[in-house]
Amino acid sequence: MLNSLHVEGRTWLHRLPAAPKLFLLAAVSLVLFFVQSPVVLALVLLLAGGVYTSLGLPAREALKRIRPVLITILLFALINLVLVSPQEALTTTLRLLSVLLLAASVTATTTIAAFMDVLAKLFLPLERLGLLKAADISLAVGLVLRFVPEIAARYEGLKEAHRARGLPLRIHRVLGPLIISTLKDADTIAEAIDARGIRGQ
């Protein structure tokens, strides 16, 4: 069974419908890229941290969910320190961290089905113009959101299996089984989708 990034809960963010959450996330993310003040961005980051912690996730789980993107942002910050001014590197890092925490909060409180429903409605005007199938786009995005945590969990499982056998971790030893098992799941899901006649309606 595939895992979802959604976490069951009864917080105020869980109760908020998916459409306004996604709209607010997009709007705030867009506005932040026009803010240049480190002080304002630091305040937004504190607010975003407050929103994320209000979900009540255990600290270890909360950090685990954002760790890959967090590491990427920190590496990006180090590179920026070399390429641009320290203030510019700071504002970029604060901006990205704020968006990360807000996006993680929305992802944790929005089910895949609700997210797909919003996307299908969003792309409906383009479908009426004959440019695309709204259901196909929402389904594709929903499957990506489903597969990302599943692939990460599978990778961790393969790492643990290597450690349990006393084998040194080599990326080429993990990559093969990871790709094969993921493709098998992809085939199974594609067959299930075709059997239900969801795709290409």
Side-chain angles (χ1 to χ4, degrees), residues 22-154:
L22 293 171
F23 174 77
L24 283 173
L25 174 62
V28 171
S29 301
L30 184 62
V31 169
L32 283 181
F33 277 87
F34 293 99
V35 178
Q36 299 298 326
S37 168
V39 176
V40 175
L41 289 170
L43 291 174
V44 174
L45 178 58
L46 283 176
L47 181 63
V51 171
Y52 191 50
T53 53
S54 73
L55 302 181
L57 293 171
R60 188 173 180 180
E61 171 68 18
L63 179 61
K64 182 181 176 184
R65 294 170 68 86
I66 62 173
R67 186 171 53 194
V69 183
L70 183 61
I71 292 172
T72 304
I73 291 175
L74 295 178
L75 288 174
F76 188 61
L78 291 175
I79 294 171
N80 269 346
L81 280 174
V82 178
L83 299 178
V84 299
S85 69
Q87 180 171 344
E88 195 173 347
L90 178 62
T91 55
T92 303
T93 304
L94 292 172
R95 194 178 290 133
L96 291 176
L97 288 175
S98 300
V99 173
L100 167 63
L101 292 176
L102 292 173
S105 301
V106 171
T107 306
T109 58
T110 308
T111 64
I112 297 290
F115 188 71
M116 289 172 61
D117 188 48
V118 172
L119 281 184
K121 291 176 181 173
L122 186 67
F123 286 113
L124 200 54
L126 296 178
E127 180 175 305
R128 287 172 180 159
L129 294 173
L131 298 176
L132 49 80
K133 293 283 187 183
D136 287 355
I137 298 296
S138 65
L139 179 63
V141 176
L143 286 175
V144 169
L145 291 176
R146 274 285 195 177
F147 263 107
V148 168
E150 178 64 21
I151 292 172
R154 192 166 294 168

Side-chain angles (χ1 to χ4, degrees), residues 155 158-159 162 167-179:
Y155 175 71
L158 288 169
K159 277 173 51 179
H162 275 71
L167 297 173
L169 182 64
R170 297 282 186 272
I171 190 65
H172 65 275
R173 291 179 181 167
V174 176
L175 203 56
L178 183 64
I179 291 174

